[in-house]
Amino acid sequence: MLSEKDIIERIKLDAQALIPVDWARLEIDKTFHRPASVKADLIFKLSTNNESVHMLAEVIARSARAVFMNKIDQVRKSANLCGALPLIVAPYLNAEERSLCHDHQVFFLDLSGNQWISFEGFLIEREGFVNQFPETRGERNPFADKASLIIRELIANYGEMRGVRELAELLNLSPGFVSKIAAELEERSYVLKSLDGLRLINPKELITDWVSHYNIRNNRQQRYFLPVISTEEVLKRIRELDLPESGYALSVQAGASLIHRYAAYDVVHIYVSDDEMQNRFLKPLQLQSVERGENVILMKPKYINSVFYGSRKKSGLNVVSDLQLYLDLYHYPKRGREQAEKIYELNLAPKFKD
């Protein structure tokens, strides 16, 4: 993965390569005067036949929402102070990041080919290029199964300092693993580290990042039909089962309806920990396997170790945590995004008020 230093050195070798057109010239300007308080990774001079402008640029190496929003805010303020155009440069900017740039009137160039710069008499806009620099450090992915336990614990106890060894013992992880993931979270501006331990910061941006790495379709889903007249009857039949205290939990709209009833739904999604737990539903309910027309979906979780973290009993049934509900609902097609935002507004956001 390219570092900020790598990106800057690459651009210094051939700035013009960022704008492959013959009617505009892009070069680094080391003579541009700016206040001593204004910092910038690069200052460009963009020239056409008729005029030239200066662009003050911030370079972003990591695809982390908190870092990205901080850079946008920083470059806007700095560019305004010295009369230049604000510019973000990165290896790759996804569609959401490009949209944020448009919304905040911050121009962008990425090394993969996506570009947007506009001023009087000049427009260059090229989008839709794929990422030429995908991240490969999967072993430090904070949104992976075991790693996400750390985030879940920090979110559940937002505002508290937690020690590495304390988290390791609590979550049954090695101190070395916790330390490695904490370092990654710190690099992404989601954790502050001190002698007192770790403290989560920028939780909203963190969760926004998370949903870009996760989709409910990542779980292995099996579809069934239970011959009843409503999903309420499905829930009633499940309550009557002899189920253990753990090993299953409702999610998506059925789970959310037991927290805040917001939208009608026609399918009950249930996480099951293993085949034995799945059979506790299949046999007593005599569920019929179907390809479509299902009203029950049993899910083997992607997050085998962490999906049940924070599950609780609601109306006699286990329901996943508010965070997991948000993750599952966010990309769910049938009004899922709306209900996800409602869960965030009512249950998650109040935790994050300082």
Side-chain angles (χ1 to χ4, degrees):
M1 187 189 71
L2 296 176
S3 67
E4 289 188 6
K5 183 179 179 181
D6 293 333
I7 297 167
I8 291 170
E9 291 303 315
R10 186 175 181 139
I11 292 170
K12 285 180 178 178
L13 289 174
D14 188 5
Q16 184 63 34
L18 288 172
I19 302 183
V21 296
D22 57 9
W23 47 269
R25 177 170 175 77
L26 184 69
E27 56 190 327
I28 295 172
D29 190 343
K30 297 181 180 179
T31 66
F32 180 73
H33 176 74
R34 66 180 189 271
S37 61
V38 173
K39 306 297 180 184
D41 291 326
L42 292 166
I43 295 178
F44 293 105
K45 181 179 180 181
L46 178 61
S47 306
T48 67
N49 293 331
N50 300 319
E51 60 182 309
S52 63
V53 295
H54 282 90
M55 298 186 295
L56 189 144
E58 283 292 326
V59 172
I60 300 178
R62 302 303 308 277
S63 180
R65 176 72 172 230
V67 173
F68 188 78
M69 295 307 297
N70 182 60
K71 288 278 191 178
I72 279 187
D73 185 59
Q74 180 179 329
V75 76
R76 287 183 65 198
K77 292 176 180 176
S78 297
N80 185 57
L81 287 172
C82 55
L85 298 180
L87 180 72
I88 290 290
V89 180
Y92 174 73
L93 296 171
N94 61 36
E96 184 178 3
E97 290 165 338
R98 299 195 301 268
S99 178
L100 285 168
C101 285
H102 281 285
D103 291 344
H104 290 83
Q105 287 296 296
V106 173
F107 303 112
F108 60 80
L109 297 169
D110 74 29
L111 304 186
S112 297
N114 299 291
Q115 305 163 1
W116 176 54
I117 302 173
S118 176
F119 58 91
E120 187 174 353
F122 180 94
L123 171 65
I124 181 167
E125 188 168 19
R126 304 168 73 223
E127 298 193 41
F129 291 84
V130 299
N131 187 2
Q132 300 297 317
F133 306 90
E135 292 187 27
T136 58
R137 291 161 59 185
E139 72 279 5
R140 291 185 63 179
N141 176 11
F143 306 117
D145 185 14
K146 286 187 178 180
S148 80
L149 282 167
I150 299 166
I151 299 177
R152 293 171 194 269
E153 176 66 19
L154 293 174
I155 285 178
N157 298 278
Y158 181 74
E160 296 182 16
M161 302 294 293
R162 310 303 295 272
V164 167
R165 291 192 175 278
E166 175 190 2
L167 286 169
E169 183 176 352
L170 177 68
L171 302 173
N172 197 27
L173 301 171
S174 73
F177 178 77
V178 174
S179 181
K180 181 172 66 175
I181 298 303
E184 182 71 14
L185 289 169
E186 182 182 33
E187 190 174 334
R188 296 179 186 226
S189 295
Y190 293 132
V191 154
L192 285 178
K193 292 173 67 177
S194 70
L195 294 176
D196 296 325
L198 313 174
R199 183 168 67 85
L200 187 70
I201 58 174
N202 299 318
K204 183 176 182 180
E205 289 76 14
L206 170 63
I207 294 172
T208 299
D209 261 356
W210 198 339
V211 292
S212 70
H213 289 78
Y214 173 82
N215 192 304
I216 189 172
R217 291 193 298 270
N218 298 148
N219 302 292
R220 186 155 60 93
Q221 303 184 20
Q222 294 176 283
R223 305 170 187 279
Y224 300 96
F225 179 72
L226 178 63
V228 293
I229 61 173
S230 69
T231 50
E232 291 296 333
E233 182 67 18
V234 173
L235 297 185
K236 179 177 180 295
R237 294 282 299 275
I238 295 172
R239 288 189 187 96
E240 294 170 352
L241 297 178
D242 181 22
L243 294 173
E245 289 299 309
S246 61
Y248 83 94
L250 276 65
S251 189
V252 197
Q253 290 177 335
S257 73
L258 299 177
I259 308 301
H260 296 294
R261 186 63 181 258
Y262 181 71
Y265 63 97
D266 54 11
V267 181
V268 175
H269 290 76
I270 310 166
Y271 281 111
V272 291
S273 57
D274 52 30
D275 290 342
E276 181 180 348
M277 180 58 67
Q278 180 169 309
N279 286 332
R280 286 178 173 268
F281 290 89
L282 289 179
K283 294 179 180 180
L285 294 178
Q286 295 183 317
L287 295 176
Q288 304 168 21
S289 179
V290 295
E291 292 185 5
R292 54 183 175 272
E294 69 279 359
N295 58 4
V296 175
I297 292 181
L298 299 182
M299 300 190 295
K300 297 286 186 65
K302 172 186 178 179
Y303 291 128
I304 296 172
N305 296 282
S306 61
V307 74
F308 297 115
Y309 176 94
S311 296
R312 58 275 158 90
K313 190 80 75 175
K314 293 290 182 180
S315 301
L317 295 169
N318 288 354
V319 179
V320 296
S321 68
D322 294 322
L323 174 59
Q324 189 63 46
L325 279 174
Y326 182 87
L327 296 174
D328 286 337
L329 284 162
Y330 192 84
H331 294 293
Y332 189 70
K334 299 178 181 179
R335 300 190 68 185
R337 184 75 56 88
E338 295 176 46
Q339 194 150 7
E341 296 301 345
K342 184 61 65 174
I343 291 289
Y344 185 89
E345 175 191 343
L346 296 177
N347 288 37
L348 291 170
K351 293 177 182 287
F352 306 144
K353 291 183 178 178
D354 295 325

